[in-house]
């Protein structure tokens, strides 16, 4: 992909974002993009190629927002980021003149997305890419559910350190109130809320409001994924304890 | 290596191609290079440092072709790519003035290939690198073998998704004919030919003509390496079935 | 981090040095930096974010030397490299105007080190970063210990090939003398000294003076970490054998 891009635009500045995701894991890609894209300069072209349906009938899209352009398969991988952006234009990538001469059925990253991105970086307008689309595939975002005095969330992403990042954010914590907050995992496990990883002793679990803006379950100096058996979908429940937390 | 290159040529544009190969796996490096090099801009200097013999008597070479320059240990890792190129000049890297002051016995990538590549990128002619060579080490390419009505190929490379890529290409398929084609693996296993990965249900095996131009054995949403126990050298046999394939 | 840097300085040239270290392994980071930093051009800003104490009371520092600038958490990760440099200025990163607007408690790489590094690359003086410090945290370097006719060293780092790199260097070898040198590992194991990896048959162990300047225990074509069970801290003892080594 980088060779193709530089062949068309030698001045392109290409940055790798995430190559450690599980192959074909659309939700992990969507989360990774959602929490990172806004740290890139205005005008960045975000190209995402988590594409298990490559070669099938899934569309390929270019979506222009107020600040960025997003390119990828229309499988939802772009949707969590796009939910935070003002969308200006959606196009289906169909102008084959912008593709490599031979398009394989297994690697559209190289054959379609890379040359289209290079052309965009050189100033070609979005309308040259193909016909407009009215929408695009959106992944369901799992909203935390209130039940009595508790708020039931879930793990949505495991990062490369083994931290289990949830769908619970600062607003979720506020919803539970100003008193102490308990964090319960499955099998009766719980962990204290902490301001940072080392707020608990080495090897102990802690829930931290992390750099993505979401509460994450971590082990100080270890992997919550391995030690606690956490995976996407695992329940994480917030409850009001009435008393202040100690491990701040 | 990148530090050394940028110290000599701050304007060099350095791209990583493949760091996930098994250490010392010359054939994996040769395949990876063969299927990727031509997607880079004309004039690219391809530096390959899969070099288990570093420090021994193996030569180091620079090979200029009509479109590119290739640098690496003379252990065959460059040869599958070079088989597709028009070779103009072969030099042995012996001009120590172009090396780092101290050359280690274990990392010629940093001490020899990087500074030589940087010098080449600044326009030094190939003849300055060392004496001409008449040839270079060539790896044997396993040609598929015809036996009666079948064509016997083998796995030559496992990619990072666990797809098992074979030495069978579009011409091999044509050789078997226009009727249906059966793909047989060892232990009586077989898999359908498909146009793309999702041509079969999730978790099922499929043979796809992949982005490298070769037939690959894949599992839709999984790893053929793990699920089918495939490794380089494993047999993959094409046979004429007489009937059209269904899973197109 | 790269997005943040490029947003502030679009002309920054960003190089990845090491992402394969065990999470939070400060000593591995310190060794990796110590053996690599000097191959980068003068003026390079080395940013190191191995930061298990992120969010806690540990300081963040910028250290200017005669040739480079180093940025990182003040946990010792910079100290082995700095021991080889002439230190000109040490500052505590406290000028919040140079940080991202919102600073998380779990990713100062993105929120503090990246924007500060970008500002430095644009020419801001070190004194703008925060108040001067008199010192910084230094990791203990394990010096080899002489005992009679032997020199007792240890493994300090495992590289990505599984080579076990020790604290024994060329001077250690000279200390043992000009006759043969024996290399003993734990459990009565020993391995010959060789000039390069292939100085021994495939699959055999060898001690090689490696590209970092230190003696490393390797398996030709394999992993010493896996085959010999070596890890940081494992003993490696040099003894005078009186006879010349054969495997040169």
């Amino acid at each position: 992909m980088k060779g193709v891009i530089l062949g068309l635009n030698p001045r392109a500045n290409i940055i790798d974002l995430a190559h450690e995701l599980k192959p074909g894991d659309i939700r992990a890609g969507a989360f990774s993009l959602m929490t990172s894209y806004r740290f890139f300069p205005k005008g960045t072209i975000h190209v995402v190629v988590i594409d298990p349906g490559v070669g099938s009938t899934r569309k390929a899209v270019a979506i222009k927002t107020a600040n960025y352009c997003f390119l990828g398969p229309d499988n939802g991988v772009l949707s969590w980021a796009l939910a935070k952006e003002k969308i200006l234009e959606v196009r289906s990538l169909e102008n084959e003149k912008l593709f490599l001469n031979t398009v394989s059925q297994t690697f559209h990253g190289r054959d379609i997305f890379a040359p289209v991105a290079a052309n965009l970086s050189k100033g070609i307008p979005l309308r040259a890419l193909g016909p407009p689309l009215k929408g695009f595939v959106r992944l369901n975002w799992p909203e935390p559910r209130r039940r009595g005095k508790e708020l039931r969330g879930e793990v949505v992403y495991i990062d490369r350190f083994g931290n289990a990042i949830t769908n619970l954010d600062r607003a979720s914590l506020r919803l539970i109130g100003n008193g102490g907050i308990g964090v319960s995992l499955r099998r009766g496990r719980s962990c204290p809320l902490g301001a940072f990883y080392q707020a608990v002793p080495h090897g102990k679990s802690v829930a931290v409001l992390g750099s993505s803006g979401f509460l994450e379950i971590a082990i100080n100096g270890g992997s919550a994924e391995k030690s606690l058996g956490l995976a996407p979908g695992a329940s994480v429940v917030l409850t009001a304890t009435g008393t202040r937390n100690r491990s701040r």
Side-chain angles (χ1 to χ4, degrees), chain A residues 157-159 161-165 197 216-219 222-225:
Chain A
Y157 182 74
I158 305 286
D159 74 14
F161 300 99
N163 300 318
I165 304 174
Y197 300 130
E216 56 190 77
I217 312 302
I219 300 282
S223 161
E225 180 188 25

Side-chain angles (χ1 to χ4, degrees), chain A residues 2 14-21 29 31-40 46-48 157 160:
Chain A
K2 293 177 186 173
I14 307 170
I15 298 293
D16 293 290
L17 181 59
H19 287 295
E20 294 155 337
L21 308 176
F31 186 85
S32 187
L33 181 68
M34 171 181 75
T35 55
S36 305
Y37 80 91
R38 69 187 172 88
F39 293 97
F40 284 81
H46 294 282
V47 183
V48 185
Y157 182 74
R160 73 183 194 94

Side-chain angles (χ1 to χ4, degrees), chain A residues 95-176:
Chain A
N95 180 357
E96 297 182 6
K97 286 178 199 162
L98 301 177
F99 303 170
L100 290 197
N101 285 335
T102 307
V103 172
S104 73
Q105 297 287 67
T106 62
F107 192 8
H108 287 185
R110 180 192 68 192
D111 305 334
I112 294 180
F113 296 115
V116 168
N119 275 290
L120 282 174
S121 75
K122 288 166 73 182
I124 204 177
L126 215 69
R127 66 175 182 276
L129 308 188
L133 291 173
K134 285 190 177 157
F136 52 88
V137 173
R138 293 169 197 266
L139 291 187
N140 177 48
W141 173 257
E143 288 293 341
R145 282 168 300 161
R146 189 118 193 206
R147 214 201 283 182
K149 285 181 179 172
E150 65 179 41
L151 193 65
R152 187 168 287 266
E154 65 180 68
V155 174
V156 289
Y157 182 74
I158 305 286
D159 74 14
R160 73 183 194 94
F161 300 99
N163 300 318
I165 304 174
T166 73
N167 58 347
L168 299 158
D169 59 9
R170 192 178 296 274
S172 309
L173 295 174
R174 268 196 228 105
L175 216 58
I176 292 298

Side-chain angles (χ1 to χ4, degrees), chain A residues 205-235:
Chain A
S205 63
V206 62
V208 175
L209 201 57
S211 63
S212 61
F214 294 101
L215 197 71
E216 56 190 77
I217 312 302
I219 300 282
N220 176 15
S223 161
E225 180 188 25
K226 285 184 192 162
S227 298
L228 303 174
L230 292 173
S235 282

